[in-house]
Amino acid sequence: MLEIKNLHVKLEEEEKQILKGVDLTVEAGKVHAIMGPNGSGKSTLSYVLSGRDGYEVTEGSATLDGADLLEMEPEERAAAGLFLAFQYPVEIPGVGNMTFLRTAVNAQRKARGEEELSAADFLKLVREKAKSLKIDADMLKRPVNVGFSGGEKKRNEILQMAMLEPKMCILDETDSGLDVDAMKLVAEGVNALRDEGRGFLVITHYQRLLDHIKPDVVHIMADGRIVKTGGPELALEVENNGYADILAEVN
Amino acid sequence: MALPDVKQSATEARLATLRMPEAGCTRDAREAALARLRAMGLPGRRDEYWKYTRPDTLISPEAPKAEVFHTDEPMVFDGFDRLKIVFVDGVFSPEDSDDLTLEGVSIDRLEDICCKDIHWAKQLYGVLEERGQTPVQRPLAALNTAFAQDGVAIHVTGKPSKPISLIYRHDSESSDAILHHVIRVESGAEVTILENGPAASRFNKCIEIDIADGGTLHHVRAQGRDHQRRAATHMFTRLGKDSVYKSFTLTVNGVLTRNEQVVELTGDDAVAHVAGACVGDGDFHHDDTVFITHDAVNCESRQVFKKVLRNGATGVFQGKILVKEGAQKTDGYQISQSLLLDDDSQFLAKPELEIYADDVACSHGSTSGAIDETALFYLRSRGVPAKEATNMLTLAFLAEAVEEIEDEALAEDIVSRLEGWLARHS
Ligand SMILES: Nc1ncnc2c1ncn2[C@@H]1O[C@H](COP(=O)(O)OP(=O)(O)O)[C@@H](O)[C@H]1O
Ligand SMILES: [Mg+2]
């Protein structure tokens, strides 16, 4: 589904190489996790895949179901089924959360040539999904992420994902800043979306999220490369011994 | 002090094309205004108060031509139950207007206030304008008082069931209109005044509003879609104890607009909010000049002005809060912000506070910036196309000003105007 080959990325404004040849394939129905020390390039990878400005791809490719992601505008990538749950969700004063969700859902449907959701159908859907994430009516009415706690912002990301039903979900440190209960809610939200047609790339610093979202494959990223790939046991190894051993081993 | 020659000759050249109407009981007020005007002279480019806006085309003897804009689309406020008072190129049109009777209000044409002996109007005409001439001179308002061709006197004694809607149609491409209205809101009375339309190729409009203790006036204005029209407007508002004045102006298009609001809070616990949202593309110069004087205890004033500018459009904001001695517990807030959609546009702001009381809370802020790229990316990453996302963020930027309109249906109508503009201009 998501295929990344030899991806090299530098900053547009500076001569700084951040990704130095990332190879990664996520198959439909699978959950891949990426772990790695701070600054290794995990967020950069997620931003480059979703089309944020400021980065330059100097080599390599990234495709979603064979379509070249790097050639597309961010909104086209979204319509093609890519979703990024942001490490730092953005606050947008003046735009109501509900309006934002409805605009996004309908924009994607329109881009795919599907009919827009009626106001009533949309409302029903959003209420149902919000309820399971314990997002109340007030949070839906407020401006996007404004005044939300860290946990509320992350749950709001999962709500967007649930509404948009993307094919390929990238979650960037969705567990950071969450207490155990909030993490469980988020994990349940993710697990509810798991199915054979959908791929996940879960970026996390800690093993604990992976107790709730069981990965099929775990990658370790360091200094802009995937340095090791294994099964769920690799996450446990990181949890017990930190990154030092693994990094020493690959160097 | 004698006027500089240039100023004097510019003023006389303009006066030569004007004729004072046979005005009966307003004659004295008009003559006095003319004398004021002659003493001040019309604004010139060197005047401090006109530093950011060139007055040339507002004072020239003839109005520059302005094409009349036609559309089949519904106009702003269409569909609202309201009492319509229509002016065509600055002249009252009885055929196009509704019957002017409505419970809780009496409305008369300015030229009838003498024969009908309408005291309050005779006593108000030119008075607030004259008060508003200090500490800053407003010569175009004096010109208006002296030469106004038409206007209405609105006396609000109760709570009329629907808004009074002043509609300014533009029909001739060389029209030069001068309108002057006087409004008195009696104690405990409440009214909504709507204004819309470009009025003329060049429009000089003045409204004097006197709100008695406990009175309330809501004002919502949309200045029409004509591109080449010019306007210089003044609103002079005096507020009594516990009274409320809330004014919002939407400006889209228009080559030159100068909107002045002069507000005097003279009774304790009064509230005055003036707000504006403007969107300009290309040959567009929009100036909001506001002067709010706190002269009583525990009054609140708010100024909220938002401007969206692109393709070389210019926005100006000059806003002042003056807190007089003894005006304790004043709560004054002022914000002016511009969203510059490209590098060619500019926003010039001069926010001022002048405070002579010690127990006051006043704040002001002015910012100018581009669209928030992070927010834009966030929206696009959710599938919202770039243009639509930009428009959403633009509306969000304007929201704080639009939210100053209390009536939700009117606010929605204004938002739909803004959406229309954005759709046409993106
Ligand atoms: N826009 C940017 N400007 C400057 N440095 C950046 C930028 N984006 C990323 N970096 C740098 O790239 C490296 C990788 O960052 P990031 O992708 O955020 O890592 P991670 O998510 O793994 O912690 C870091 O050294 C970071 O400082
Ligand atoms: Mg990161």
Side-chain angles (χ1 to χ4, degrees), chain A residues 11 14 16 18 37-45 55 87 173:
Chain A
L11 291 176
E14 285 172 51
K16 182 170 175 176
I18 300 175
N38 268 332
S40 56
K42 304 184 297 295
S43 291
T44 301
L45 176 64
Y55 303 101
Q87 178 171 5
E173 302 217 12

Side-chain angles (χ1 to χ4, degrees), chain A residues 65-107:
Chain A
D65 284 340
D68 185 355
L69 281 175
L70 304 178
E71 280 299 307
M72 297 184 211
E73 296 296 334
E75 55 269 32
E76 294 170 335
R77 301 180 198 207
L82 186 79
F83 180 89
L84 167 64
F86 282 53
Q87 178 171 5
Y88 304 106
V90 180
E91 298 186 6
I92 314 185
V95 176
N97 209 11
M98 198 78 122
T99 309
F100 165 58
L101 279 168
R102 197 176 59 232
T103 309
V105 168
N106 283 333

